[in-house]
Amino acid sequence: MFYHSYKTLSHVYKFAFANSALWSGSRIFPPPPMMCKHEVRFKISGVHERSSQEKQKAHMARGLPKQKPITGVKEVIVVASGKGGVGKSTTAVNLALGLLANDRSKSVGLLDADVYGPSVPKLMNLKGNPELTENNLMRPLMNFGIPCMSMGFLIEDTVPIVWRGLMVMSAIEKLLRQVDWGFLDYLVIDMPPGTGDIQLSIIQNVPIAGAVIVSTPQDIALVDARRGAEMFRKVKVPCPQCHHQTHIFGSDGAKELAHTLGVEVLGDIPLHLNIRETSDTGQPVVVSSPNSPEAKAYRRVASAVVRRLADKAL
Protein backbone atom coordinates (compact mmCIF):
# COMPACT_ATOMS: atom_id res chain seq x y z
CA MET A 1 0.00 0.00 0.00
CA PHE A 2 2.80 2.37 0.85
CA TYR A 3 4.69 1.83 -2.41
CA HIS A 4 1.58 2.28 -4.58
CA SER A 5 0.78 5.53 -2.80
CA TYR A 6 4.31 6.80 -3.20
CA LYS A 7 4.39 5.85 -6.86
CA THR A 8 1.17 7.76 -7.48
CA LEU A 9 2.60 10.75 -5.65
CA SER A 10 5.72 10.58 -7.81
CA HIS A 11 3.62 10.76 -10.96
CA VAL A 12 1.80 13.79 -9.61
CA TYR A 13 5.13 15.53 -8.99
CA LYS A 14 6.35 14.61 -12.46
CA PHE A 15 3.21 15.93 -14.09
CA ALA A 16 3.29 19.19 -12.16
CA PHE A 17 6.95 19.86 -12.86
CA ALA A 18 6.60 18.94 -16.51
CA ASN A 19 3.95 21.62 -17.05
CA SER A 20 5.01 24.41 -14.73
CA ALA A 21 7.83 25.68 -12.58
CA LEU A 22 7.79 26.63 -8.95
CA TRP A 23 8.63 30.31 -8.48
CA SER A 24 9.72 32.17 -5.38
CA GLY A 25 10.57 35.71 -6.36
CA SER A 26 13.14 35.38 -9.11
CA ARG A 27 14.34 31.88 -8.06
CA ILE A 28 13.17 28.65 -9.55
CA PHE A 29 13.15 25.60 -7.31
CA PRO A 30 13.84 22.42 -9.25
CA PRO A 31 11.67 19.41 -8.65
CA PRO A 32 12.76 17.18 -5.73
CA PRO A 33 14.90 14.20 -6.72
CA MET A 34 13.03 10.96 -7.19
CA MET A 35 13.88 7.86 -5.14
CA CYS A 36 13.27 4.41 -6.48
CA LYS A 37 11.08 2.15 -4.40
CA HIS A 38 14.07 -0.09 -3.57
CA GLU A 39 15.79 2.84 -1.87
CA VAL A 40 12.62 3.64 0.05
CA ARG A 41 12.25 0.03 1.12
CA PHE A 42 15.86 -0.08 2.33
CA LYS A 43 15.51 3.04 4.43
CA ILE A 44 12.19 2.04 5.95
CA SER A 45 13.36 -1.49 6.78
CA GLY A 46 16.54 -0.11 8.36
CA VAL A 47 14.50 2.08 10.68
CA HIS A 48 12.25 -0.83 11.63
CA GLU A 49 15.26 -3.08 12.21
CA ARG A 50 16.95 -0.60 14.55
CA SER A 51 13.69 -0.05 16.41
CA SER A 52 13.18 -3.79 16.82
CA GLN A 53 16.71 -4.29 18.15
CA GLU A 54 16.31 -1.46 20.64
CA LYS A 55 13.01 -2.89 21.87
CA GLN A 56 14.57 -6.34 22.20
CA LYS A 57 17.50 -4.99 24.26
CA ALA A 58 15.15 -3.04 26.51
CA HIS A 59 12.96 -6.13 27.00
CA MET A 60 15.95 -8.30 27.91
CA ALA A 61 17.25 -5.68 30.32
CA ARG A 62 13.89 -5.68 32.09
CA GLY A 63 13.75 -9.47 32.22
CA LEU A 64 17.19 -10.16 33.72
CA PRO A 65 17.54 -9.75 37.48
CA LYS A 66 20.18 -7.41 38.81
CA GLN A 67 23.00 -9.08 40.68
CA LYS A 68 22.99 -8.24 44.37
CA PRO A 69 25.77 -9.26 46.77
CA ILE A 70 24.93 -11.52 49.69
CA THR A 71 25.01 -9.43 52.85
CA GLY A 72 28.31 -9.87 54.70
CA VAL A 73 29.91 -12.08 52.03
CA LYS A 74 33.04 -10.82 50.31
CA GLU A 75 33.53 -13.47 47.58
CA VAL A 76 31.33 -16.32 46.35
CA ILE A 77 32.88 -19.49 44.91
CA VAL A 78 30.56 -22.03 43.26
CA VAL A 79 31.47 -25.69 42.92
CA ALA A 80 29.66 -27.35 40.03
CA SER A 81 29.67 -30.44 37.86
CA GLY A 82 28.06 -31.47 34.60
CA LYS A 83 26.66 -34.63 36.18
CA GLY A 84 26.21 -36.22 39.59
CA GLY A 85 28.45 -38.78 41.28
CA VAL A 86 31.82 -37.21 40.46
CA GLY A 87 32.65 -35.94 43.96
CA LYS A 88 31.31 -32.40 43.64
CA SER A 89 29.87 -32.11 47.16
CA THR A 90 32.91 -33.80 48.69
CA THR A 91 35.10 -31.32 46.86
CA ALA A 92 32.95 -28.36 47.97
CA VAL A 93 33.21 -29.42 51.63
CA ASN A 94 36.94 -30.08 51.55
CA LEU A 95 37.56 -26.91 49.53
CA ALA A 96 35.84 -24.84 52.22
CA LEU A 97 37.82 -26.63 54.94
CA GLY A 98 41.02 -26.25 52.89
CA LEU A 99 40.49 -22.50 52.54
CA LEU A 100 40.15 -22.24 56.31
CA ALA A 101 43.08 -24.58 57.04
CA ASN A 102 45.38 -22.62 54.73
CA ASP A 103 44.58 -19.29 56.39
CA ARG A 104 42.96 -19.27 59.81
CA SER A 105 42.47 -15.52 59.60
CA LYS A 106 39.86 -16.02 56.88
CA SER A 107 36.21 -16.81 57.54
CA VAL A 108 34.59 -19.39 55.27
CA GLY A 109 30.95 -20.47 54.90
CA LEU A 110 29.31 -23.34 53.02
CA LEU A 111 25.91 -23.21 51.28
CA ASP A 112 24.28 -26.38 49.98
CA ALA A 113 22.24 -25.27 46.95
CA ASP A 114 21.43 -28.82 45.86
CA VAL A 115 17.79 -28.57 46.92
CA TYR A 116 16.75 -32.00 45.60
CA GLY A 117 19.72 -33.91 47.01
CA PRO A 118 21.40 -32.04 49.87
CA SER A 119 24.66 -33.68 50.97
CA VAL A 120 26.26 -31.11 53.26
CA PRO A 121 24.43 -32.20 56.45
CA LYS A 122 25.91 -35.70 56.25
CA LEU A 123 29.33 -34.63 54.98
CA MET A 124 29.68 -32.01 57.74
CA ASN A 125 28.03 -34.21 60.41
CA LEU A 126 25.29 -31.70 61.14
CA LYS A 127 21.67 -32.18 62.20
CA GLY A 128 18.92 -29.95 63.48
CA ASN A 129 16.92 -26.91 62.46
CA PRO A 130 18.44 -23.45 62.19
CA GLU A 131 17.41 -20.91 64.80
CA LEU A 132 16.01 -17.54 63.84
CA THR A 133 17.55 -14.19 64.70
CA GLU A 134 15.60 -11.14 65.86
CA ASN A 135 15.54 -10.06 62.20
CA ASN A 136 13.92 -13.37 61.22
CA LEU A 137 17.08 -14.63 59.53
CA MET A 138 18.24 -18.24 59.78
CA ARG A 139 21.41 -18.92 61.75
CA PRO A 140 23.76 -21.34 59.97
CA LEU A 141 24.71 -24.56 61.75
CA MET A 142 28.42 -24.73 62.60
CA ASN A 143 31.00 -27.51 62.54
CA PHE A 144 34.78 -27.57 62.06
CA GLY A 145 34.71 -23.78 62.14
CA ILE A 146 32.49 -23.59 59.03
CA PRO A 147 28.95 -22.11 59.18
CA CYS A 148 26.69 -24.19 56.93
CA MET A 149 23.20 -23.85 55.47
CA SER A 150 21.30 -26.53 53.59
CA MET A 151 17.77 -27.49 52.66
CA GLY A 152 18.61 -30.71 54.52
CA PHE A 153 18.33 -28.77 57.79
CA LEU A 154 14.73 -27.80 56.99
CA ILE A 155 13.27 -31.19 56.01
CA GLU A 156 13.42 -34.76 57.30
CA ASP A 157 16.16 -36.99 55.89
CA THR A 158 13.77 -39.38 54.15
CA VAL A 159 11.30 -36.81 52.81
CA PRO A 160 11.60 -36.34 49.03
CA ILE A 161 11.39 -32.81 47.67
CA VAL A 162 8.79 -32.84 44.89
CA TRP A 163 8.64 -29.19 43.94
CA ARG A 164 8.01 -27.31 40.75
CA GLY A 165 10.28 -24.57 39.48
CA LEU A 166 8.73 -21.61 41.29
CA MET A 167 8.91 -23.32 44.68
CA VAL A 168 12.52 -24.29 44.10
CA MET A 169 13.41 -20.72 43.09
CA SER A 170 11.72 -19.42 46.24
CA ALA A 171 13.73 -21.86 48.37
CA ILE A 172 17.00 -20.79 46.70
CA GLU A 173 16.16 -17.14 47.29
CA LYS A 174 15.64 -17.86 51.00
CA LEU A 175 18.92 -19.77 51.24
CA LEU A 176 20.73 -16.87 49.59
CA ARG A 177 19.07 -13.87 51.24
CA GLN A 178 17.55 -15.01 54.52
CA VAL A 179 20.62 -16.44 56.25
CA ASP A 180 22.67 -14.53 58.82
CA TRP A 181 26.19 -15.31 57.58
CA GLY A 182 27.85 -12.59 59.65
CA PHE A 183 31.04 -11.64 57.80
CA LEU A 184 32.61 -14.14 55.39
CA ASP A 185 35.70 -13.82 53.24
CA TYR A 186 34.54 -16.79 51.15
CA LEU A 187 31.17 -18.47 50.69
CA VAL A 188 31.49 -21.82 48.93
CA ILE A 189 28.24 -22.87 47.21
CA ASP A 190 27.72 -26.55 46.44
CA MET A 191 25.66 -26.33 43.24
CA PRO A 192 23.30 -29.04 41.94
CA PRO A 193 24.72 -31.11 39.08
CA GLY A 194 23.88 -30.00 35.54
CA THR A 195 22.97 -26.64 34.01
CA GLY A 196 19.37 -25.99 35.02
CA ASP A 197 17.21 -23.29 36.56
CA ILE A 198 18.87 -23.32 40.00
CA GLN A 199 22.32 -22.76 38.56
CA LEU A 200 21.16 -19.93 36.31
CA SER A 201 19.16 -18.33 39.11
CA ILE A 202 22.19 -18.21 41.42
CA ILE A 203 24.55 -16.98 38.73
CA GLN A 204 22.17 -14.24 37.59
CA ASN A 205 21.28 -13.04 41.09
CA VAL A 206 24.63 -13.18 42.90
CA PRO A 207 28.06 -11.84 41.85
CA ILE A 208 30.26 -14.93 41.48
CA ALA A 209 34.02 -14.55 42.06
CA GLY A 210 34.83 -17.89 40.43
CA ALA A 211 33.56 -21.37 39.56
CA VAL A 212 35.22 -24.73 40.13
CA ILE A 213 34.14 -27.52 37.78
CA VAL A 214 34.57 -31.06 39.13
CA SER A 215 34.86 -34.06 36.82
CA THR A 216 36.35 -37.51 36.60
CA PRO A 217 38.58 -38.05 33.56
CA GLN A 218 36.43 -40.56 31.64
CA ASP A 219 34.81 -39.32 28.45
CA ILE A 220 31.19 -39.67 29.59
CA ALA A 221 31.81 -37.32 32.54
CA LEU A 222 33.88 -34.88 30.50
CA VAL A 223 31.06 -34.32 28.00
CA ASP A 224 28.84 -33.06 30.82
CA ALA A 225 31.70 -31.18 32.49
CA ARG A 226 32.19 -29.25 29.27
CA ARG A 227 28.52 -28.22 29.29
CA GLY A 228 28.95 -26.90 32.80
CA ALA A 229 32.09 -24.98 31.89
CA GLU A 230 30.42 -23.48 28.83
CA MET A 231 27.46 -22.36 30.95
CA PHE A 232 29.74 -20.38 33.26
CA ARG A 233 31.64 -19.00 30.28
CA LYS A 234 28.43 -17.70 28.69
CA VAL A 235 27.52 -15.80 31.83
CA LYS A 236 31.12 -14.56 32.19
CA VAL A 237 32.01 -16.37 35.45
CA PRO A 238 35.76 -17.10 35.83
CA CYS A 239 36.05 -20.86 35.54
CA PRO A 240 39.16 -22.90 36.29
CA GLN A 241 38.68 -26.66 36.58
CA CYS A 242 39.22 -29.27 39.25
CA HIS A 243 38.96 -33.00 38.63
CA HIS A 244 39.30 -36.28 40.42
CA GLN A 245 41.91 -38.52 38.82
CA THR A 246 42.31 -42.25 38.97
CA HIS A 247 43.43 -44.56 36.20
CA ILE A 248 40.34 -46.77 36.42
CA PHE A 249 38.66 -43.90 34.57
CA GLY A 250 41.58 -43.22 32.24
CA SER A 251 44.04 -40.38 32.61
CA ASP A 252 44.55 -36.77 31.51
CA GLY A 253 41.04 -36.46 30.09
CA ALA A 254 40.14 -33.44 32.20
CA LYS A 255 43.51 -31.83 31.51
CA GLU A 256 42.92 -32.13 27.79
CA LEU A 257 39.43 -30.66 28.16
CA ALA A 258 40.78 -27.79 30.27
CA HIS A 259 43.38 -27.08 27.58
CA THR A 260 40.67 -27.09 24.92
CA LEU A 261 38.53 -24.67 26.93
CA GLY A 262 41.50 -22.47 27.83
CA VAL A 263 41.06 -22.86 31.60
CA GLU A 264 43.43 -23.93 34.36
CA VAL A 265 43.36 -27.32 36.09
CA LEU A 266 43.40 -26.50 39.80
CA GLY A 267 44.53 -29.90 40.97
CA ASP A 268 44.29 -33.68 40.89
CA ILE A 269 42.49 -35.44 43.74
CA PRO A 270 43.27 -39.16 44.10
CA LEU A 271 40.13 -41.26 44.29
CA HIS A 272 41.18 -42.90 47.53
CA LEU A 273 39.12 -45.04 49.89
CA ASN A 274 40.08 -42.68 52.70
CA ILE A 275 38.05 -39.86 51.13
CA ARG A 276 34.93 -42.03 50.90
CA GLU A 277 35.24 -43.38 54.44
CA THR A 278 35.81 -39.99 56.07
CA SER A 279 32.97 -38.44 54.07
CA ASP A 280 30.52 -41.17 55.03
CA THR A 281 31.25 -40.65 58.72
CA GLY A 282 30.91 -36.87 58.54
CA GLN A 283 34.61 -36.31 59.20
CA PRO A 284 35.98 -34.73 56.00
CA VAL A 285 39.50 -35.80 55.13
CA VAL A 286 40.95 -32.29 55.43
CA VAL A 287 40.13 -32.22 59.16
CA SER A 288 40.25 -35.94 60.04
CA SER A 289 43.47 -36.80 58.14
CA PRO A 290 45.16 -33.41 57.58
CA ASN A 291 48.56 -34.93 56.76
CA SER A 292 47.25 -37.46 54.26
CA PRO A 293 48.05 -37.04 50.54
CA GLU A 294 44.32 -36.60 49.88
CA ALA A 295 43.97 -33.74 52.37
CA LYS A 296 47.09 -32.06 51.03
CA ALA A 297 45.68 -32.33 47.50
CA TYR A 298 42.49 -30.53 48.56
CA ARG A 299 44.52 -27.84 50.30
CA ARG A 300 46.56 -27.32 47.14
CA VAL A 301 43.31 -26.86 45.22
CA ALA A 302 42.20 -24.31 47.82
CA SER A 303 45.49 -22.43 47.42
CA ALA A 304 45.09 -22.45 43.65
CA VAL A 305 41.56 -21.01 43.96
CA VAL A 306 42.79 -18.17 46.19
CA ARG A 307 45.63 -17.45 43.77
CA ARG A 308 43.26 -17.28 40.82
CA LEU A 309 40.92 -14.95 42.70
CA ALA A 310 43.86 -12.69 43.54
CA ASP A 311 45.02 -12.67 39.90
CA LYS A 312 41.52 -11.76 38.75
CA ALA A 313 41.40 -8.85 41.18
CA LEU A 314 44.57 -7.29 39.71
Side-chain angles (χ1 to χ4, degrees), residues 230 233 239-240 255-265 308:
E230 293 292 354
R233 174 173 289 175
C239 180
K255 289 182 179 179
E256 293 172 3
L257 175 59
H259 178 74
T260 300
L261 295 174
V263 298
E264 177 185 348
V265 175
R308 285 297 301 271

Side-chain angles (χ1 to χ4, degrees), residues 70-177:
I70 300 174
T71 303
V73 176
K74 187 176 179 181
E75 293 187 297
V76 174
I77 303 167
V78 296
V79 179
S81 65
K83 65 185 302 174
V86 297
K88 170 186 58 63
S89 295
T90 302
T91 297
V93 166
N94 283 286
L95 172 61
L97 292 166
L99 290 168
L100 183 62
N102 288 343
D103 189 347
R104 289 289 175 178
S105 68
K106 301 296 185 182
S107 52
V108 184
L110 180 61
L111 173 59
D112 187 354
D114 194 347
V115 173
Y116 293 112
S119 302
V120 165
K122 182 176 181 61
L123 291 170
M124 291 293 285
N125 195 25
L126 287 169
K127 290 184 179 180
N129 301 115
E131 297 178 353
L132 294 179
T133 68
E134 294 178 356
N135 297 324
N136 208 32
L137 299 177
M138 293 182 289
R139 280 199 181 96
L141 275 63
M142 179 86 70
N143 201 8
F144 311 119
I146 302 286
C148 303
M149 182 52 62
S150 170
M151 184 56 65
F153 299 148
L154 307 176
I155 60 171
E156 297 295 331
D157 292 343
T158 58
V159 175
I161 298 179
V162 188
W163 290 350
R164 292 184 181 274
L166 290 177
M167 294 182 67
V168 174
M169 294 302 103
S170 176
I172 288 296
E173 181 68 17
K174 286 180 171 58
L175 291 175
L176 290 173
R177 306 294 180 191

Side-chain angles (χ1 to χ4, degrees), residues 194-262:
T195 56
D197 289 343
I198 295 177
Q199 293 87 335
L200 289 176
S201 178
I202 292 174
I203 294 168
Q204 291 176 348
N205 282 279
V206 178
I208 306 296
V212 177
I213 307 296
V214 182
S215 176
T216 50
Q218 81 269 35
D219 291 344
I220 192 65
L222 292 172
V223 170
D224 293 321
R226 178 164 192 161
R227 292 192 184 100
E230 293 292 354
M231 176 188 70
F232 287 109
R233 174 173 289 175
K234 283 185 177 181
V235 293
K236 303 187 186 311
V237 172
C239 180
Q241 184 176 46
C242 167
H243 74 278
H244 285 230
Q245 183 181 32
T246 177
H247 291 297
I248 63 171
F249 290 133
S251 62
D252 295 332
K255 289 182 179 179
E256 293 172 3
L257 175 59
H259 178 74
T260 300
L261 295 174

